[in-house]
Amino acid sequence: KTLEDERLLVFNFGLLKWKWDESIIESQTASTDNVVYLLQRKMKRCSQESQMFLQCAACLGASFTLETINMIWQHQQREINADSLSTRHSTEELIMEMVEENYLEVDAHKDDNCRWVHDSVQEVAMSLIKEEDHDSFRRSIGEIWYQELGEENLEPSLFEVTNLLNAIRTGVTNIDFARLNLKAAEKARDVAAFDRSIHYASSGISMLPSNKWDSCPELTVKLYSLAAEA
């Protein structure tokens, strides 16, 4: 469909068959950069609502449940000015659109799971977010996820949520998020992902208050110990 949109593949109604120039198609799509460029152009022709949906979905990782994207999207819709979108579609309708456009696919073994058809598709969807808003948008998605599920229910998505919350760390003091980073650091350590463990422990330390040794000594000791241990 992208080839057709870019006029690289044209249907001749007189001859009732498709026409194309193989050399032009190869030159236009030979490199990954060209494929990404074509995909970006295609996504930017989507409706504003569809682009916003893609941005939200891109923050959720390589795969996600329908329940999660529905939770995030419903929250985002409430935040959007009612006049800013000409139409509003359900999560299911938007998922169907993304599947038809070959951006997402539904897991054949778990029909409540969606996944990107390729890493590059997710990356292009992420690029729809304005560069200056990138970190704050990802952080906001993480906050929605955290608030809606609660810390006790985050285990299956612990890394994804923590990564989103860590999008902005400078000037952030939040003991709850520091504790979440501790859990992520411990989980990473347990699977021998030591670099990630250090990253989460350091992120947690940066979110502690200045009087951390007095206000939350146990959490502070654990984070510093993990950072040194990993």
Side-chain angles (χ1 to χ4, degrees), residues 4 13 34 46 60 65 72-73 83 85 92 100 106 109 112-113 141 150 153 165 175-178 180 188 195 205 215:
E4 183 183 0
F13 286 95
N34 284 343
C46 292
L60 304 184
T65 65
I72 298 295
W73 182 241
D83 297 329
L85 298 178
E92 290 75 14
E100 289 172 0
V106 177
H109 303 291
D112 64 336
N113 269 37
I141 297 297
N153 298 316
L165 292 173
I175 292 178
D176 290 335
F177 294 170
L180 198 66
D195 287 345
I205 290 169
S215 61

Side-chain angles (χ1 to χ4, degrees), residues 154-183:
L154 287 177
E155 179 59 30
S157 307
L158 179 60
F159 291 145
E160 289 83 357
V161 176
T162 307
N163 290 340
L164 291 170
L165 292 173
N166 287 348
I168 296 178
R169 290 182 292 163
T170 304
V172 172
T173 299
N174 192 307
I175 292 178
D176 290 335
F177 294 170
R179 188 179 298 111
L180 198 66
N181 271 284
L182 173 62
K183 289 185 177 181

Side-chain angles (χ1 to χ4, degrees), residues 54-55 58-59 121-129 134 138:
L54 283 167
Q55 293 171 34
C59 294
V121 179
Q122 181 189 2
E123 291 170 8
V124 172
M126 186 73 78
S127 74
L128 296 175
I129 305 170
H134 190 270
R138 292 183 68 240

Side-chain angles (χ1 to χ4, degrees), residues 78-109:
R78 292 195 294 269
E79 297 294 318
I80 298 169
N81 188 307
D83 297 329
S84 66
L85 298 178
S86 57
T87 57
R88 285 178 179 266
H89 296 91
S90 68
T91 304
E92 290 75 14
E93 289 172 324
L94 288 165
I95 288 290
M96 286 179 60
E97 177 188 341
M98 301 312 153
V99 170
E100 289 172 0
E101 293 291 345
N102 203 33
Y103 299 146
L104 296 173
E105 59 185 6
V106 177
D107 193 323
H109 303 291

